Amino acid sequence: MDEYDASKAEIAYELLPLLRLYKDGRVERLLGNDFVPPSTNPQNGVVSKDITLLPESNITARIYLPPIPDPNPKLPLVVYFHGGGFCVASPFTSKCHNYLNALVARSRVVAVSWIISHRDRNGPEAWLNDHADFERVFLAGESAGANIAHNMALRAGQPEFGLSVGLLGLALVHPYFWGSVPIASEALAGIGCGRVLVCVAERDVVRDRGRLYCEALSRSGWTGVVEIDETKDEDHVFYLYDLDGQNARDLIRQLASFFNRG
């Protein structure tokens, strides 16, 4: 190997098992991003499709819709942010796709990436215009996606950001919060919804940060209701790897109850 090639192979930083950063600036993503197409799930009848949000940037989203009875009810809208350490995975991987199929089937919600252009029911996507109840909008996410959902909820509570959508609740599943300084309670008071659910796992390294988040939110002056749900004997995002297990079913049932509570 010549001198140039050796420098290219020198590792600057690793975040295992997610990625490896080399000194020449290259980034190697160590977890594969498989792609599964949208489909109709034969087991639960959930249908999905992909839409383009910003053609110039090739930004797309996947929408999930449960079987719709007649007459057509308006369903809660769940805006979901996938995990992946802020650097890997996508909404179109098999684990994310299968999980959202199960969540949508159990919860009877419309699930999609962040879209506010349909709040007056005149956006370009008929599924959102026809089936989404914009009086019942939730933000949700797992791991790094839960961190993103939290920050979006903070912005929803600040009119100057102009999101123009009222949030009913925020669901954070195994949220990836990290840092050397404890969470400042006063920074949480502006969360723009009245209900928060935080799900943690007993063996998860970020579990205590999830608990601290709930405690800080309760002390912050925020006037909503926060609840925490802990899964025993499980690790970070365990449900993505065992959707048929009882603990995964219980977690999805808890989320479904949160999204549909009156």
Side-chain angles (χ1 to χ4, degrees):
M1 179 179 290
D2 60 31
E3 184 177 353
Y4 175 74
D5 288 335
S7 68
K8 288 181 65 176
E10 197 170 352
I11 297 172
Y13 179 76
E14 285 184 319
L15 179 60
L16 299 177
L18 300 179
L19 61 80
R20 182 177 292 125
L21 173 65
Y22 293 90
K23 288 190 175 180
D24 68 349
R26 291 182 301 118
V27 176
E28 180 184 7
R29 288 175 171 82
L30 303 176
L31 293 181
N33 281 341
D34 65 317
F35 175 88
V36 294
S39 61
T40 299
N41 188 293
Q43 280 75 44
N44 55 36
V46 171
V47 294
S48 56
K49 69 177 177 180
D50 294 342
I51 61 172
T52 299
L53 302 179
L54 296 173
E56 62 274 18
S57 304
N58 195 31
I59 295 178
T60 59
R62 181 162 292 180
I63 303 180
Y64 295 83
L65 194 68
I68 303 296
D70 190 24
N72 170 26
K74 297 296 182 183
L75 303 176
L77 174 61
V78 175
V79 181
Y80 197 85
F81 299 90
H82 69 84
F86 305 104
C87 55
V88 297
S90 83
F92 315 118
T93 61
S94 56
K95 287 184 175 63
C96 184
H97 178 75
N98 294 337
Y99 169 63
L100 283 173
N101 263 284
L103 180 64
V104 167
R106 183 67 179 81
S107 304
R108 293 199 53 76
V109 299
V110 181
V112 70
S113 297
W114 184 245
I115 293 178
I116 60 174
S117 60
H118 295 74
R119 61 185 179 273
D120 296 323
R121 307 197 186 284
N122 58 1
E125 177 47 54
W127 282 12
L128 295 174
N129 293 331
D130 296 343
H131 305 302
D133 183 351
F134 281 86
E135 299 299 317
R136 292 187 291 167
V137 178
F138 294 84
L139 297 183
E142 70 202 20
S143 192
N147 187 307
I148 295 170
H150 156 75
N151 280 283
M152 290 298 296
L154 283 176
R155 282 155 177 75
Q158 302 175 49
E160 63 269 24
F161 281 97
L163 294 182
S164 303
V165 172
L167 297 180
L168 189 56
L170 172 66
L172 307 178
V173 181
H174 304 176
Y176 185 84
F177 296 129
W178 205 255
S180 58
V181 179
I183 297 169
S185 301
E186 60 272 14
L188 299 176
I191 286 183
C193 62
R195 293 159 44 195
V196 174
L197 169 65
V198 178
C199 301
V200 299
E202 184 181 25
R203 297 177 180 174
D204 190 353
V205 67
V206 296
R207 172 201 61 194
D208 291 336
R209 282 271 162 176
R211 291 173 173 170
L212 178 60
Y213 178 89
C214 291
E215 295 169 5
L217 187 58
S218 296
R219 298 192 304 264
S220 69
W222 175 70
T223 57
V225 176
V226 60
E227 55 188 294
I228 188 167
D229 179 75
E230 180 170 336
T231 304
K232 301 296 184 182
D233 302 320
E234 296 288 2
D235 211 329
H236 194 65
V237 297
F238 69 90
Y239 49 89
L240 294 180
Y241 304 91
D242 184 20
L243 274 176
D244 294 326
Q246 187 59 51
N247 284 341
R249 292 174 182 269
D250 290 344
L251 175 64
I252 291 174
R253 186 179 301 111
Q254 178 75 7
L255 289 166
S257 174
F258 180 73
F259 295 143
N260 287 279
R261 199 171 302 156

